[in-house]
Amino acid sequence: KHFKKEFSLLGGIFDVDNKIEQIKDDEAKTLAPNFWDDQLKAQALMKEIKQNKNWVTLFKDIEKKYDDLNILREFQEIGEATDEEIDIQFQLIIDELDENEFKSTLKNEEDNLSAIIEINAGAGGTEACDWAAMLMRMYTMWANKNGYKISELDYQAGEVAGIKSVAMEIDGEFAFGMLKGENGVHRLVRISPFNSQGKRMTSFCSVFVH
């Protein structure tokens, strides 16, 4: 019952009804004979239409998963669906809802742009270079998992292992908005495999997102 109440508010959170009306109005504007006379204005409107359509599609996808959950509940009542199946479908909805609620907070114009991420090894020598390489792998895996395109712009290898610095462009929707929180100094504390005495070491890397 609690989830049903939360879901009923979902359309309002994503402002779906208004987005659908906005799409209709904007698409009508694209039919004007002089629409492409102002290229920048036209491209901005086309981008807005695409973004609004994406939000509507995301909502419809969650709505379908919610309908599937209700069908599973009906099957469960007659013994043809298990608690585990219900839990799996419920978690799918919660995960997608959480992700898209976060995206809905990315309202700054630059949040939907591509991002350039720079990683620089700091204090810690080889250990810091290894830490920088670990961060690079982490962001690369995250980007691949989420369907972003990655381009390596600059790469400087470490003298023994890892990297001294790397710059990557990550291209895709909300790339900058999703990554901007990574700005800052990242610290790693571990027993270093590069320390012959097996001592615990602290390493630092700076991450800049543009």
Side-chain angles (χ1 to χ4, degrees):
K1 290 182 180 179
H2 175 71
F3 182 75
K4 184 177 182 181
K5 181 180 178 181
E6 292 295 320
F7 185 81
S8 68
L9 298 174
L10 182 60
I13 293 172
F14 288 165
D15 201 22
V16 173
D17 291 338
N18 285 336
K19 283 183 169 60
I20 292 173
E21 290 301 316
Q22 188 66 49
I23 290 169
K24 292 179 181 179
D25 291 343
D26 289 342
E27 286 185 331
K29 294 176 183 177
T30 66
L31 300 177
N34 62 344
F35 174 70
W36 288 102
D37 289 351
D38 187 334
Q39 293 281 331
L40 291 177
K41 185 176 180 181
Q43 290 173 3
L45 186 62
M46 294 300 293
K47 184 176 181 179
E48 182 179 346
I49 291 173
K50 181 181 178 182
Q51 289 176 357
N52 284 333
K53 283 185 174 180
N54 285 341
W55 281 118
V56 173
T57 299
L58 288 170
F59 174 76
K60 294 296 183 182
D61 183 58
I62 298 174
E63 189 175 46
K64 181 181 182 303
K65 285 185 173 66
Y66 178 68
D67 290 340
D68 291 343
L69 176 64
N70 285 328
I71 292 172
L72 273 175
R73 287 173 59 86
E74 293 176 5
F75 281 129
Q76 183 192 36
E77 291 175 358
I78 60 175
E80 295 186 6
T82 65
D83 290 345
E84 183 180 3
E85 290 174 316
I86 296 290
D87 290 341
I88 290 173
Q89 184 66 21
F90 179 78
Q91 193 58 50
L92 284 174
I93 298 173
I94 292 299
D95 291 344
E96 192 165 343
L97 181 58
D98 286 346
E99 179 181 353
N100 292 311
E101 279 187 322
F102 174 70
K103 285 182 179 178
S104 71
T105 67
L106 304 177
K107 297 181 179 180
N108 295 331
E109 184 177 353
E110 66 271 16
D111 286 338
N112 197 37
L113 299 178
S114 301
I116 293 176
I117 183 167
E118 299 179 10
I119 306 170
N120 297 288
T126 301
E127 175 73 1
C129 290
D130 191 48
W131 175 218
M134 292 166 63
L135 288 171
M136 179 185 176
R137 288 195 298 272
M138 179 186 74
Y139 292 123
T140 300
M141 291 172 65
W142 173 84
N144 287 329
K145 179 182 177 182
N146 289 279
Y148 291 106
K149 179 183 177 182
I150 309 170
S151 302
E152 191 176 289
L153 305 178
D154 183 64
Y155 183 94
Q156 186 176 1
E159 294 179 0
V160 177
I163 57 174
K164 289 184 178 179
S165 66
V166 66
M168 302 181 294
E169 181 178 6
I170 298 180
D171 186 28
E173 289 184 343
F174 296 105
F176 178 75
M178 298 293 283
L179 285 167
K180 63 183 181 181
E182 297 298 310
N183 266 315
V185 177
H186 295 241
R187 183 179 67 169
L188 172 69
V189 180
R190 68 172 181 175
I191 296 175
S192 173
F194 304 103
N195 187 300
S196 59
Q197 297 178 347
K199 291 184 176 180
R200 185 181 299 273
M201 296 184 64
T202 302
S203 305
F204 299 90
C205 287
S206 62
V207 174
F208 301 99
V209 182
H210 310 280

